[in-house]
């Protein structure tokens, strides 16, 4: 039997193929990549010590390849199958996001690698949202939307077959991996032909533009693909100079000396030509011209992951817009147990016999360094802000009066979502154990 391709390699191939596809479909995405590359080069040149820290932590090697995409699916089967497809690429669902309180009728998870070594090889992520049909107030429209979604299959037969092969055999060989990437790419491709009439589309838009985006097409076209920048404020300022129209504000925390969590901006969604079936249905061949607005370009800047205590301070600051209670100092964040850190022994520490396992003392003696762990996940308020800013000025801003439906989401997903905090804690704890062992200070279990 041929050797299996490592899931990390399949993920890298898919991420590159998806980036090429989106660049061909949305040329302005290419402009965004060039802008981000230029901004990052300038940031690294201006901060040599920062560049050294990124290199030492492994962040620099992954920077130019880092992407996150976003899709929106309409049914439980679509969500469960996309979860199985991402599993072939070593990606698991992490965290549950309820966007309904912000007026967006979806709930979501992020598919990503969870092992630190896999993240270092390729941190490709996809923020995947499931439409909450129960939030469509018009009962007749809700039924019609459900029937429309039930008629489509967003996966090619070959993609489904290769997912089953990977699950049955334990992986894919080189030829199967190449075919899997090509077939799964079809799920993310843009289709300019709507599957509903212009009249139904207008009713869906009236309910919510995002509902129309999910229901009206053959598949969940990738609606943005996001490169990572080291200076999102510089990128925001430079976008108009490159002929790119940015959204008005950057989502997430304010600019800080010690970046935390996630900051995001985007260029405004494109108005794209589409064709609706004529009065006699899609089989008649008659088409009616129209437009649709959904796909946009996004840039992100990732900071440090916060602990539950840090997130509580951030959430309180977000509500008051007063961030003074959240220290803007790495040592204060670490000592206050407000952020997650990765620890490693220094050459000096490895060459010296340390007398204490106290991490603060080891850091003070320069035997150990603590590096902030990058936040690999998302912020529901920011995600909703990005969605709303690209749904048109007339998009409904009212919140849906519903509770989170995590249990329903996980049932549709076919598996539980992983806890992001548990993942960060495990990485920090593993680094502490490895550091103490390297220094000859490991304690018996």
């Amino acid at each position: 039997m041929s050797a299996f391709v490592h899931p990390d390699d399949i993920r890298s191939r898919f991420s590159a193929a998806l980036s090429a596809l989106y660049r061909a479909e949305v040329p302005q995405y290419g402009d965004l990549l060039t802008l981000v590359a230029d901004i990052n080069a300038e940031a690294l040149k201006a901060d040599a010590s920062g560049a050294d820290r990124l290199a030492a932590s492994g962040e620099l090697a992954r920077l130019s390849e880092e992407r996150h995409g976003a899709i929106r699916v309409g049914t439980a089967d679509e969500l469960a199958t996309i979860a199985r497809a991402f599993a072939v690429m070593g990606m698991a669902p992490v965290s549950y996001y309820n966007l309904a309180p912000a007026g967006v009728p979806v709930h979501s998870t992020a598919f990503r690698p969870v092992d630190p070594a896999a993240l270092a090889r390729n941190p490709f992520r996809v923020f995947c949202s499931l439409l909450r049909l129960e939030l469509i107030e018009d009962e007749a429209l809700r039924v019609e939307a459900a029937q429309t979604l039930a008629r489509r299959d967003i996966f090619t037969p070959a993609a489904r077959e290769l997912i089953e092969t990977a699950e049955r055999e334990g992986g894919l060989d080189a030829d199967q991996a190449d075919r899997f990437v090509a077939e799964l790419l079809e799920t993310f491709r843009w289709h300019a032909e709507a599957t509903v009439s212009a009249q139904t589309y207008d009713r869906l838009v009236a309910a919510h533009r995002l509902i129309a985006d999910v229901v009206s097409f053959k598949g969940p076209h990738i609606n943005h693909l996001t490169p990572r920048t080291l200076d999102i404020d510089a990128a925001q300022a430079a976008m108009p100079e490159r002929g790119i129209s940015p959204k008005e504000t950057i989502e997430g925390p304010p600019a800080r000396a010690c970046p935390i969590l996630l900051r995001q901006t985007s260029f405004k969604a494109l108005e794209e030509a589409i064709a609706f079936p004529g009065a006699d249905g899609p089989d008649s061949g008659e088409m009616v011209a129209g437009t649709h607005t959904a796909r946009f370009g996004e840039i992100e800047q990732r900071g440090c992951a916060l602990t539950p205590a840090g997130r509580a301070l951030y959430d309180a600051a977000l509500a008051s817009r007063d961030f003074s209670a959240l220290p803007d100092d790495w040592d204060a964040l670490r000592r206050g147990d407000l952020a997650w850190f990765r620890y490693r022994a220094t050459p000096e520490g490895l060459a010296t016999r340390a007398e204490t396992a106290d991490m603060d003392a080891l850091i003070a003696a320069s035997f150990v360094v603590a590096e902030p762990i990058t936040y690999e996940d998302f912020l529901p308020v920011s995600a909703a802000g990005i969605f709303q800013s690209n749904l048109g000025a007339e998009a409904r801003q009212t919140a849906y009066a519903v509770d989170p439906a995590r249990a329903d989401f996980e049932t549709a997903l076919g598996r539980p979502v992983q806890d992001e905090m548990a993942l960060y804690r495990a990485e920090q704890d593993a680094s502490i154990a490895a550091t103490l062992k390297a220094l000859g200070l490991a304690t018996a279990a």
Side-chain angles (χ1 to χ4, degrees):
M1 179 180 291
S2 300
F4 291 142
V5 178
H6 196 283
D8 292 349
D9 293 330
I10 301 177
R11 183 172 67 257
S12 294
R13 294 181 193 185
F14 182 78
S15 176
L18 185 62
S19 186
L21 172 72
Y22 197 61
R23 190 168 190 161
E25 292 182 344
V26 183
Q28 207 166 38
Y29 167 67
D31 299 335
L32 209 62
L33 293 182
T34 301
L35 181 150
V36 168
D38 292 345
I39 293 293
N40 288 350
E42 292 171 8
L44 292 168
K45 184 178 179 180
D47 184 7
S49 61
D52 290 342
R53 287 194 301 272
L54 287 172
S57 65
E59 293 287 311
L60 192 58
R62 68 183 238 187
L63 182 62
S64 63
E65 299 301 316
E66 189 154 353
R67 301 284 186 276
H68 98 245
I71 59 170
R72 305 156 184 167
V73 297
T75 69
D77 176 74
E78 291 176 358
L79 181 66
T81 305
I82 205 70
R84 295 167 59 205
F86 286 133
V88 175
M89 297 185 273
M91 299 163 70
V94 179
S95 295
Y96 171 77
Y97 304 93
N98 176 32
L99 274 62
V104 184
V106 299
H107 44 184
S108 315
T109 191
F111 291 96
R112 67 169 178 89
V114 295
D115 178 71
L119 281 163
R121 285 190 284 269
N122 188 300
F124 178 60
R125 317 167 189 83
V126 176
F127 190 81
C128 183
S129 300
L130 173 65
L131 178 63
R132 297 185 65 178
L133 282 172
E134 75 273 15
L135 300 184
I136 300 178
E137 297 172 357
D138 182 332
E139 182 177 357
L141 185 63
R142 185 166 65 246
V143 170
E144 186 173 356
Q147 291 173 342
T148 301
L149 291 169
R151 287 193 295 268
R152 74 180 188 182
D153 188 348
I154 67 173
F155 303 96
T156 68
R160 287 186 177 273
E161 180 182 340
L162 287 161
I163 292 168
E164 292 170 3
T165 298
E167 292 171 339
R168 182 178 63 251
E169 304 294 337
L172 299 175
D173 64 26
D175 177 65
Q176 291 169 332
D178 285 341
R179 288 192 289 120
F180 170 78
V181 168
E183 294 293 338
L184 188 61
L185 207 62
E186 294 305 308
T187 297
F188 292 76
R189 190 180 298 279
W190 169 251
H191 297 283
E193 299 81 25
T195 56
V196 300
S197 68
Q199 292 76 19
T200 297
Y201 174 85
D202 288 342
R203 291 168 60 213
L204 291 167
V205 167
H208 199 290
R209 279 192 173 273
L210 188 141
I211 296 172
D213 184 58
V214 175
V215 175
S216 303
F217 299 92
K218 296 178 182 178
H221 40 258
I222 186 81
N223 61 67
H224 64 269
L225 201 57
T226 305
R228 178 181 170 187
T229 184
L230 297 174
D231 188 342
I232 199 167
D233 296 286
Q236 175 89 344
M239 285 168 75
E241 300 168 9
R242 306 289 183 103
I244 303 171
S245 178
K247 70 186 297 294
E248 286 75 14
T249 58
I250 295 172
E251 300 289 343
R256 294 164 46 95
C258 301
I260 58 170
L261 299 173
L262 178 67
R263 303 181 73 205
Q264 298 169 282
T265 190
S266 68
F267 66 67
K268 296 178 180 178
L270 309 172
E271 185 173 78
E272 300 180 89
I274 60 172
F276 295 104
D280 294 328
D283 296 330
S284 68
E286 179 190 356
M287 304 300 286
V288 178
T291 60
H292 178 66
T293 303
R295 300 195 300 168
F296 55 93
E298 185 177 287
I299 300 172
E300 66 183 19
Q301 180 177 350
R302 291 190 172 270
C304 182
L306 298 183
T307 64
R311 279 299 296 268
L313 282 180
Y314 171 76
D315 290 343
L318 195 64
S320 66
R321 304 310 300 175
D322 178 5
F323 287 83
S324 59
L326 197 59
D328 195 7
D329 175 83
W330 289 130
D331 195 55
L333 288 167
R334 186 186 64 81
R335 288 176 175 273
D337 193 29
L338 299 175
W340 299 111
F341 286 82
R342 182 188 305 107
Y343 296 83
R344 61 178 174 86
T346 63
E348 183 179 355
L350 294 171
T352 308
R353 181 177 177 82
E355 301 294 336
T356 177
D358 180 76
M359 203 57 69
D360 289 343
L362 291 169
I363 290 172
S366 298
F367 292 170
V368 170
V369 294
E371 299 159 339
I373 294 175
T374 297
Y375 186 62
E376 306 287 355
D377 298 289
F378 296 90
L379 301 171
V381 172
S382 296
I386 290 285
F387 279 14
Q388 288 287 17
S389 68
N390 284 288
L391 293 173
E394 74 280 13
R396 288 171 49 175
Q397 300 290 331
T398 55
Y400 292 97
V402 293
D403 294 326
R406 176 171 177 159
D408 292 342
F409 184 86
E410 291 183 326
T411 297
L413 184 66
R415 64 198 72 193
V417 299
Q418 296 198 34
D419 177 2
E420 66 180 62
M421 291 298 180
L423 294 172
Y424 295 123
R425 181 182 299 279
E427 183 174 359
Q428 177 173 286
D429 289 350
S431 75
I432 292 172
T435 298
L436 294 178
K437 182 178 180 180
L439 295 173
L441 298 168
T443 56

